Amino acid sequence: MAVSEISVIATAQETAPTREELLERVRALGPALKERAQASDDKRQLLDETVQEMKEAGLFRILQPRRWGGYELDLRTFYEVQMLLAEYDMSVGWVHGVVGVHAWQMGIFDDRAAQDVWGEDNSVLIASSYMPTAKLAPVDGGFRVSGRWRFSSGCNHAEWFFLGGILPPDEEGLTRPGTLLFPKADVRILDTWDVAGLKGTGSHDVVVEDAFLPAHRIHRHIDGFRCSSPGNAVNTGWLYKVPFFQAFLRAVSTSSIGALQAMLNEFVAYGSGKVSAFAGKTAEDPTAQLVCGETAAAIDEMRALMFRNFENLRAYAERGETPPVEERLRYKLQASEVANRCALLAARLYRSSGGSGLFNDQPFARLLANINAGRQHVVNQYELWGANYGACLMGRENQDLAL
C-alpha cells in the first residue's frame, strides 16, 4: 500500500479503521521509517516527512474522541501500533506513544480546552513534559505561569504543550499536581537533546515565561485518578473513564518491547549464518539458542499481560467502576518492569552477537542504546514502584496518586 493510498484512507474514511488496518498502514510505512532512522538520529528529532506520514495514516487519532475526528478505539490497538512502529525505529514508536496518548488526555480536559486546541484543525499534535516545575501566580481568570521542563519528546512537531505543575490549594486545602495546557506561541524550545540513545525523539527542554493560563486549560491529576474529569461530561465513552495514569504509563515502556522484537529479528537473521572462528556456528551455540528462546517467550508474556490489564481496565470503565488502588499499583509495577526486562534481554542478545556485533554496520549497538535510554524514564524505575506496591501489601497507606 502506497503512502498516498494511506492518506486517502485516513482522511476520507468515515468509520474508524480496524486494528489490522492500522497495523497494515504501519507495515506500509515501515521500510521508510527504518531507512530514515539514522537521519533522525543525526537531526536529533523525527524527520518532518515521518510525522506527516504518521498523521496521514491516522496513527495519532487512535485515542482521539470521535467528536473531534478521532477513531476512539482502545488502548490495546494504540499500543500494538506503538510496538510495531518501534520495530522499525524505537524513536518513532516512542514519539507516537507519548504524543499520541495526549489525544486521549485531551478528551478528559475541559471541553473549552479541546475547542482551543482542535477548533480549527483537529490534526494538531500536543507534546508534553509532566515534570511538576511550573510556578503559578493566580490572576483574574487563571494564572501567570513560568517554568522550565526537560524531556519534551516530539516538541518540534507540536502546536500545543502539556506541562506539569503543582496547583494552588484545592477545595480540600491540598496542593496537588496537574497538567497545564499552553499554545506553541507561549513556549520556547531549547536545543538540549544531546544523548546516547533515543536520539531521534527530539526530547528537548521547553520554557514558558510569564504566560497567561486560563483556568479551563488545567487538568487536575486527582480528577484523572478518580475517573471523574471535566471532559467526561461530553466524551462519555468507556475509554475516557480509564484512570489517567493507567492509560499513560505504558506510553514510555511499550516501545521497548517493539525494539526488543527488532533486536531478536536482527539477531536471528544475523546468527543463522554466522560462524565464529573460535565458537563455531552461532545457531548451534546453546547460549545463543537460550537467549533467543527466552527473549521470544518474554515478549509474548509482556504483550499478553499488558493486553489482559487493558481488558480489565476496560471492564471496570464499562461498568462505571474505578479500579481498586491495589490493582492499579500492581499494573503500574508491571508496566514499569517492561523497560528493565527488555534492557536485560537486549544486553544478552548484544553479548551473543560477538565482536562483529560491535560494528556500526550492524544494528545491535543502536538498538541496545535506545532500549537502555527508555529504561531511564522515571516511570520505568520499577524498583521505586515495586517497593511502594510491596509496602501497601504489608499494610502501609498508599501515597502515590499517579495510578
Side-chain angles (χ1 to χ4, degrees), residues 11 37 67 70 86 110 185 187 207 242 247 251 312 321 373 386 388 392 397:
T11 56
R67 54 194 294 273
D110 187 306
V187 177
V207 174
V242 172
N312 291 345
E321 300 174 5
N388 186 50
C392 290
E397 185 177 352

Side-chain angles (χ1 to χ4, degrees), residues 360-386:
N360 284 329
D361 63 352
Q362 297 295 337
F364 303 113
R366 179 177 180 274
L367 286 165
L368 179 61
N370 285 342
I371 293 171
N372 281 336
R375 169 67 175 84
Q376 298 300 100
H377 195 286
V378 64
V379 170
N380 293 331
Q381 305 306 307
Y382 78 97
E383 301 93 340
L384 177 61
W385 314 124

